[in-house]
Amino acid sequence: EVQLVESGGGLVQPGRSLRLSCAASGFTFDDYAMNWIRQVPGKGLEWVSGISWNSGNIEYADSVKGRFTISRDNVKNSLYLEMNSLRPEDTALYYCAKDMGYCSGGRCYWFDSWGQGTLVTVSS
Amino acid sequence: EIILTQSPATLSLSPGERATLSCRASQSISSYLAWYQQRPGQAPRLLIYDASNRATGIPARFSGSGSGTDFTLTISSLEPEDFAVYYCQQRSNWPSFGGGTKVEIK
């Protein structure tokens, strides 16, 4: 069974940094692209960033480009999101999500497994 | 930027009824559309990808159709566990989601 467990969320002041982690199990982690997707509680979903299986292809939403950095460790079966210069509008539940992986280059951008999320609150 | 507009915002139906949810794209996205279900307090669950393919383990009462700019998710006969929020998502350029349709018990 696929399991994705996020951690690292919390309350942080505007302008500060935070690092999220996602521990993966139940599948061959280095076969799949991975993503971060966020959701303001009670609101809709926003894709934040994605990384290919070998870290060779990385993408960001315009809203976080230049401030957030995605990375992965295929030995530790873990995904990370380094968030710098945090803003109040970054407040959300952050989900780690696995790509389906059957498409060309392994990037389908269909998210077939999700963690339960970790809450990030940016406030003074 | 591709905008996905979902309608209606809320759908009030009874168990056993048919649900028809709409998702319209601001420009053609071919068949690059997925549908997700989100129950309260849970993460989204992939239902349909590539407009009409059911994901693993998804019951046959869920079906998707459409291409280009207009897409539909149909639930043939609502079960109690189907009352939830449904999102469409495109991958034609970077991924984006619609605003959601809440299916509530009438």
Side-chain angles (χ1 to χ4, degrees):
Chain A
E1 179 193 2
V2 172
Q3 281 205 320
L4 299 170
V5 180
E6 302 93 338
S7 61
L11 175 63
V12 61
Q13 293 180 328
R16 304 298 291 266
S17 299
L18 208 58
R19 189 192 197 210
L20 306 184
S21 299
C22 171
S25 61
F27 65 104
T28 305
F29 183 70
D30 56 12
D31 277 351
Y32 294 93
M34 297 294 296
N35 300 267
W36 289 99
I37 297 165
R38 67 186 181 184
Q39 183 174 35
V40 174
K43 302 295 184 183
L45 296 159
E46 180 187 19
W47 174 83
V48 172
S49 181
I51 185 169
S52 62
W53 66 274
N54 64 353
S55 305
N57 186 5
I58 288 175
E59 295 161 322
Y60 299 97
D62 287 346
S63 58
V64 306
K65 202 172 293 183
R67 300 187 299 123
F68 289 11
T69 302
I70 191 172
S71 63
R72 64 189 295 161
D73 184 331
N74 287 344
V75 174
K76 295 183 178 179
N77 288 350
S78 293
L79 176 72
Y80 306 101
L81 187 68
E82 184 77 35
M83 303 185 295
N84 298 320
S85 303
L86 282 162
R87 304 167 180 169
E89 55 265 36
D90 295 319
T91 294
L93 186 64
Y94 283 74
Y95 292 106
C96 165
K98 171 184 164 292
D99 194 292
M100 280 191 77
Y102 73 94
C103 304
S104 173
R107 303 294 297 277
C108 293
Y109 299 100
W110 302 142
F111 312 115
D112 65 347
S113 295
W114 300 58
Q116 285 304 303
T118 186
L119 183 62
V120 173
T121 304
V122 184
S123 176
S124 54
Chain B
E1 180 188 1
I2 297 174
I3 305 296
L4 297 177
T5 302
Q6 292 188 239
S7 62
T10 303
L11 196 53
S12 299
L13 295 168
S14 301
E17 288 194 296
R18 182 184 190 89
T20 302
L21 287 66
S22 174
C23 179
R24 176 164 290 177
S26 59
Q27 63 190 78
S28 177
I29 56 171
S30 186
S31 295
Y32 297 141
L33 191 96
W35 291 93
Y36 297 82
Q37 175 194 68
Q38 188 174 33
R39 295 170 177 152
Q42 295 187 15
R45 176 174 70 143
L46 178 66
L47 300 175
I48 301 286
Y49 64 96
D50 290 341
S52 60
N53 295 316
R54 271 191 304 276
T56 302
I58 302 304
R61 64 180 181 274
F62 291 93
S63 63
S65 63
S67 66
T69 60
D70 290 304
F71 300 86
T72 300
L73 174 70
T74 302
I75 310 170
S76 59
S77 178
L78 283 164
E79 298 288 339
E81 62 268 27
D82 299 337
F83 291 91
V85 179
Y86 293 83
Y87 294 97
C88 58
Q89 177 233 325
Q90 64 82 24
R91 69 171 184 103
S92 189
N93 44 29
W94 69 82
S96 65
F97 294 84
T101 291
K102 181 180 181 180
V103 179
E104 65 176 23
I105 299 176
K106 186 175 182 180

